[in-house]
């Protein structure tokens, strides 16, 4: 990073870490992908609530439709597909808090490293010079909880990264830092 971008990142570290989890949780298995050196930043705690509300709404909707179809038609077969969806959604509800803590990102000298996953782990390093677009989005529920999603677009689709559940301040700070780095290098963006 350029000197100004490093100072901006250091000054904005409080914004990146405000209202977030304290640390990235690593899987305990011997074959895990290690975190490596440096400061890892986390998702906002509100991300868990947004996910639980969204998945809970799907769970209740599927349950209501299954009950309605059985009451209206009198046949029990709708419970087969509904039961599968309900079980998968319930498992999602149970693992969401742990899954959210496995997300993390790190600003390094030449790239941004993004990490996610418990069972299926993914670590992606996105070089600053390859970024073409930094996009912040948030839906109505996200706005209500003060979180946003930051999307980094690169020329290669496989290296594009979407960081969900950032506080609005962290998303704006991260966007500004990444744009400043790209401007100092005159590459990307």
């Amino acid at each position: 990073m350029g000197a100004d971008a490093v100072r901006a990142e250091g000054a904005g570290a409080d914004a990146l870490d405000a209202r977030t989890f304290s640390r990235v949780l690593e899987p305990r298995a011997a074959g895990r992908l290690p975190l490596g050196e440096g400061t890892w930043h986390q998702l906002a705690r509100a991300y868990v609530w947004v996910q639980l509300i969204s998945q809970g709404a799907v769970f209740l909707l599927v349950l209501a439709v299954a009950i309605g179809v059985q009451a209206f038609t009198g046949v029990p077969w709708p419970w087969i597909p509904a039961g599968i969806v309900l079980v998968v959604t319930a498992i999602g509800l149970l693992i969401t808090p742990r899954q959210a803590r496995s997300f993390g990102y790190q600003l390094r000298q030449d790239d941004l490293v993004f990490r996610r996953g418990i069972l299926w782990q993914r670590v992606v390093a996105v070089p600053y010079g390859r970024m073409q677009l930094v996009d912040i989005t948030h839906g109505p529920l996200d706005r209500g909880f003060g979180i946003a999603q930051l999307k980094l677009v690169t020329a290669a689709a496989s290296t594009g990264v979407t960081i969900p559940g950032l506080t609005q301040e962290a998303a704006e700070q991260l966007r500004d830092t990444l744009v400043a780095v790209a401007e100092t290098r005159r590459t990307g963006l």
Side-chain angles (χ1 to χ4, degrees), residues 62-109:
V62 169
L63 185 63
V65 168
I67 291 171
V69 168
Q70 184 177 8
F72 183 69
T73 63
V75 294
W77 67 263
W79 284 105
I80 296 170
I84 293 169
V85 172
L86 291 174
V87 167
V88 170
T89 306
I91 291 170
L93 284 165
L94 292 173
I95 66 170
T96 291
R98 173 62 177 90
Q99 183 183 31
R101 297 201 58 197
S102 72
F103 283 79
Y105 63 95
Q106 181 183 44
L107 298 170
R108 298 193 309 186
Q109 184 70 23

Side-chain angles (χ1 to χ4, degrees), residues 11-86:
D14 290 338
L16 295 178
D17 294 326
R19 301 187 327 259
T20 64
F21 294 108
S22 59
R23 64 185 178 90
V24 176
L25 292 182
E26 286 188 86
R28 295 181 197 91
R32 71 182 183 273
L33 294 171
L35 286 179
E37 300 297 320
T39 303
W40 284 88
H41 303 284
Q42 290 281 179
L43 302 184
R45 287 185 176 100
Y47 174 73
V48 173
W49 287 108
V50 169
Q51 291 299 307
L52 291 175
I53 291 169
S54 299
Q55 293 175 17
V58 168
F59 186 90
L60 293 175
L61 180 65
V62 169
L63 185 63
V65 168
I67 291 171
V69 168
Q70 184 177 8
F72 183 69
T73 63
V75 294
W77 67 263
W79 284 105
I80 296 170
I84 293 169
V85 172
L86 291 174

Side-chain angles (χ1 to χ4, degrees), residues 86-144:
L86 291 174
V87 167
V88 170
T89 306
I91 291 170
L93 284 165
L94 292 173
I95 66 170
T96 291
R98 173 62 177 90
Q99 183 183 31
R101 297 201 58 197
S102 72
F103 283 79
Y105 63 95
Q106 181 183 44
L107 298 170
R108 298 193 309 186
Q109 184 70 23
D110 296 317
D111 54 16
L112 179 136
V113 178
F114 175 69
R115 176 182 186 18
R116 72 175 172 95
I118 301 169
L119 295 175
W120 288 273
Q121 302 168 29
R122 181 177 185 205
V123 177
V124 178
V126 181
Y128 297 130
R130 300 288 183 182
M131 290 182 206
Q132 294 181 341
L133 174 72
V134 180
D135 183 25
I136 297 175
T137 59
H138 40 76
L141 195 55
D142 294 337
R143 283 192 301 275

Side-chain angles (χ1 to χ4, degrees), residues 112 126 131-135 150-154 159-163 174 178:
L112 179 136
V126 181
M131 290 182 206
Q132 294 181 341
L133 174 72
V134 180
D135 183 25
L150 186 103
K151 183 176 183 180
L152 308 171
V153 178
T154 64
T159 59
V161 169
T162 300
I163 306 173
L174 187 55
L178 295 173

